[in-house]
Amino acid sequence: GLVYYNTKDKSQLNNLVYSVNPLPHSLFNFIFDFGSLRPEDERKYIHNTIVSIIDSIRANKIINSIEKSDLDDLIEKIIESIVICHKFIREKYDKSSVSMREIRRFGIFFEYFMKSFTNTSYRKMKSSLNMTLYLCYYLRLNDKAYRKELAEKLRIFYKDSSFLKIPEMEIKKITEQMTIEKGKGIALNRALRENLFTCFTCIDNNVPLIIVGKPGTGKSLSFQILYNTLKGEYSESEMFRSKGKLYRYYYQGSETSTAEGIEQVFNKASNAQKKNKDKNIITLVFFDEMGLAERSSNNPLKVMHYLLEKDSQDSVPFLGISNWRLDAAKINRALSLTITDYDINDLEETAISIAEALDNELSNQFKDYFETLARTYYEFLKNN
């Protein structure tokens, strides 16, 4: 639990997120180590859960006719791919980085994507697996090298194409329909597309989301674009008119945050949702600067454990943003999106996208200049 906050000097103990005190001797007899699931037990849990999810999908007629051999093959691929992802993330971070909560979220998103694809049952299941793995596991990785490595490991299930082909195509299709103000120089780059897609998908499924990224990576901007996009029947794009009008209940995290203050915002959002349950309205709790709240001596984020695990009928959509990674207990209770650092390709795309947003003709005429600007900026960052 000891995490250094925003400092290069690891000797500064006052910069630790938590203060840890020794347990009294009188409590030693009441300490129990429950350990963790063995790999074989976890695999059995994953198997049983996935089979249950597939049975539910078949019962709801989301899958049409499919050969038993094809279905068995796909079930095995789903199980194996989840095991690969869990093992990979634990190797790169720690054993608490993923939990069995991931499997429940996997089922929610897998069924959601199954409903959105219109091809044959086999292709539909394979594409849905691709999208769900990308959303639940790939996007949480904070290093582009890790992402590339995981995509290579999952290529065995997508020999005919890249693991990223379908997700990038779907993300582009959705984000290009969103309402982005013209003339503001907003670049619909990779990071912003990932933010928008993940936010929209989580809100649409009432799955809590925590976005972690450095300042200036589009976390708040993503919400603002979604807010302008999701206007119910008045949405500019037909794709979003049936999704409901988005309302926000805002909480600003700080080092003086309290559990009571956070719970009060959730209660207001929940009451508003119950009041408007017959209307086409989405009530969202937006928690800004969760990382600052985690530093509070009041330990206010402990209440989030309970608030993020309510039954779906009693919960409200949740979006939290932080400039740095939170501890595993918070992250595991929500879908996690980590915005990676920009590489040279990201910066070139961003520079050109900003220019296009301001003046398309200007962008075409001086494309080389904008690419040079991006490369210069990249070198500046690298050497400072």
Side-chain angles (χ1 to χ4, degrees), residues 360-379:
N360 196 42
E361 188 177 332
L362 186 74
S363 169
N364 293 332
Q365 189 176 353
F366 297 103
K367 183 180 178 184
D368 291 344
Y369 289 10
F370 293 116
E371 288 177 348
T372 302
L373 173 63
R375 287 193 292 271
T376 305
Y377 179 66
Y378 179 72
E379 290 300 323

Side-chain angles (χ1 to χ4, degrees), residues 266-298:
F266 271 85
N267 288 338
K268 285 181 180 177
S270 180
N271 291 335
Q273 180 173 266
K274 289 171 185 173
K275 192 184 296 183
N276 296 309
K277 65 179 180 180
D278 297 326
K279 300 175 183 177
N280 200 17
I281 286 175
I282 303 166
T283 306
L284 172 90
V285 172
F286 181 72
F287 196 137
D288 199 0
E289 297 287 5
M290 287 187 73
L292 282 179
E294 190 173 53
R295 294 193 71 207
S296 169
S297 59
N298 301 315

Side-chain angles (χ1 to χ4, degrees), residues 42-280:
E42 181 172 299
R43 190 184 183 96
K44 285 177 185 174
Y45 178 87
I46 292 170
H47 176 273
N48 291 340
T49 307
I50 294 303
V51 169
S52 175
I53 290 166
I54 298 299
D55 286 344
S56 172
I57 288 171
R58 294 182 74 185
N60 292 328
K61 309 293 184 186
I62 299 171
I63 299 176
N64 298 320
S65 58
I66 183 170
E67 294 290 334
K68 186 179 183 303
S69 57
D70 286 340
L71 184 61
D72 291 342
D73 175 61
L74 279 168
I75 290 173
E76 190 54 39
K77 283 179 177 176
I78 293 170
I79 295 164
E80 189 60 36
S81 62
I82 293 173
V83 170
I84 288 172
C85 290
H86 280 218
K87 183 181 177 185
F88 181 83
I89 292 171
R90 286 183 179 130
E91 285 173 354
K92 297 302 181 186
Y93 300 103
D94 60 70
K95 65 181 181 181
S96 302
S97 298
V98 286
S99 71
M100 293 300 96
R101 295 185 184 93
E102 320 295 340
I103 314 304
R104 181 177 65 84
R105 282 194 290 270
F106 181 96
I108 292 169
F109 290 120
F110 184 75
E111 184 168 345
Y112 174 75
F113 290 123
M114 283 288 293
K115 292 174 182 175
S116 67
F117 288 108
T118 56
N119 42 14
T120 62
S121 291
Y122 183 85
R123 297 301 305 174
K124 188 190 290 190
M125 285 184 70
K126 202 168 180 185
S127 297
S128 299
L129 172 61
N130 195 174
M131 292 297 298
T132 310
L133 292 173
Y134 176 87
L135 185 63
C136 291
Y137 300 106
Y138 178 87
L139 288 180
R140 71 167 52 201
L141 299 172
N142 66 345
D143 189 310
K144 290 192 86 171
Y146 290 172
R147 289 186 173 190
K148 186 176 180 181
E149 192 177 341
L150 181 60
E152 283 297 310
K153 286 180 178 291
L154 296 172
R155 268 192 69 191
I156 58 173
F157 307 114
Y158 300 93
K159 294 176 184 177
D160 53 339
S161 65
S162 163
F163 171 75
L164 298 177
K165 182 180 177 181
I166 291 175
E168 287 177 349
M169 189 168 60
E170 289 299 309
I171 287 173
K172 187 177 180 184
K173 184 171 73 177
I174 292 171
T175 55
E176 286 184 347
Q177 295 294 314
M178 292 185 176
T179 305
I180 299 176
E181 291 183 75
K182 306 293 183 186
K184 296 286 187 179
I186 297 174
L188 192 56
N189 59 11
R190 175 190 58 82
L192 186 56
R193 289 195 301 270
E194 289 176 358
N195 288 359
L196 289 171
F197 168 74
T198 310
C199 286
F200 169 71
T201 308
C202 286
I203 289 171
D204 207 24
N205 288 278
N206 196 5
V207 171
L209 169 66
I210 296 173
I211 302 178
V212 179
K214 293 178 180 177
T217 49
K219 302 185 298 295
S220 299
L221 175 62
S222 302
F223 173 78
Q224 192 57 50
I225 291 172
L226 271 177
Y227 188 77
N228 293 335
T229 299
L230 295 172
K231 293 184 175 179
E233 61 182 309
Y234 301 106
S235 299
E236 290 183 19
S237 172
E238 189 177 346
M239 178 186 292
F240 303 109
R241 284 175 195 153
S242 62
K243 298 300 181 182
K245 181 173 175 56
L246 182 62
Y247 283 91
R248 176 192 73 172
Y249 282 79
Y250 182 84
Y251 186 85
Q252 174 66 53
S254 70
E255 294 183 36
T256 59
S257 293
T258 62
E260 292 77 16
I262 295 170
E263 193 164 14
Q264 188 177 39
V265 173
F266 271 85
N267 288 338
K268 285 181 180 177
S270 180
N271 291 335
Q273 180 173 266
K274 289 171 185 173
K275 192 184 296 183
N276 296 309
K277 65 179 180 180
D278 297 326
K279 300 175 183 177
N280 200 17

Side-chain angles (χ1 to χ4, degrees), residues 22-32:
L23 278 170
H25 286 281
S26 58
L27 290 179
F28 279 8
N29 291 330
F30 301 95
I31 298 173
F32 301 95

